[in-house]
Amino acid sequence: METVIGMVSTMDQKSIIHSLSAKIKLIRVENDYTQDRMAAVLGISKKTLVQIEKKRTCANWTTIVALCALFSGSEIIQFTLGKNVLDVVKIAAHK
């Protein structure tokens, strides 16, 4: 649990949103999803996903939480947040 708390001390919702929004295309490709499929799984429009992937906007917190919950095994997400992805998200949500 110490490593989770250490990681979270510098990871608040805003930093998680920015970090994972910038990597959402890599996460999509890592899972071999099309933009249509990824948008449907995350519950957002393809247009919104394209805007996030082109770094024109960031995902919202709800989308990031869904991304972490549905793709918690992603090497990219784990590299960014640590192995205990959902614990990091929970702690950041309650900060």
Side-chain angles (χ1 to χ4, degrees), residues 18-28 76 79-80:
H18 286 288
S19 296
L20 293 181
S21 289
K23 296 174 182 170
I24 200 162
K25 182 175 182 177
L26 295 172
I27 296 163
R28 177 176 65 78
I76 295 163
F79 181 78
T80 305

Side-chain angles (χ1 to χ4, degrees), residues 1 4-5 8 11 86-95:
M1 189 68 169
V4 172
I5 293 170
V8 173
M11 297 293 284
L86 296 179
D87 289 338
V88 172
V89 171
K90 285 179 192 175
I91 293 169
H94 294 284
K95 271 189 165 181

Side-chain angles (χ1 to χ4, degrees), residues 13 17 41-44 58-70 89:
Q13 285 184 22
I17 288 169
V41 166
L42 293 176
I44 60 176
C58 282
N60 63 32
W61 179 243
T62 304
T63 301
I64 294 298
V65 170
L67 181 74
C68 289
L70 297 169
V89 171

Side-chain angles (χ1 to χ4, degrees), residues 25-37:
K25 182 175 182 177
L26 295 172
I27 296 163
R28 177 176 65 78
V29 171
E30 172 189 41
N31 287 278
D32 199 30
Y33 277 29
T34 63
Q35 286 179 325
D36 287 323
R37 178 76 176 132

Side-chain angles (χ1 to χ4, degrees), residues 41-61:
V41 166
L42 293 176
I44 60 176
S45 70
K46 180 180 175 182
K47 181 179 177 181
T48 299
L49 179 62
V50 168
Q51 295 299 311
I52 296 166
E53 287 187 355
K54 289 185 175 184
K55 298 178 174 76
R56 292 182 181 156
T57 190
C58 282
N60 63 32
W61 179 243

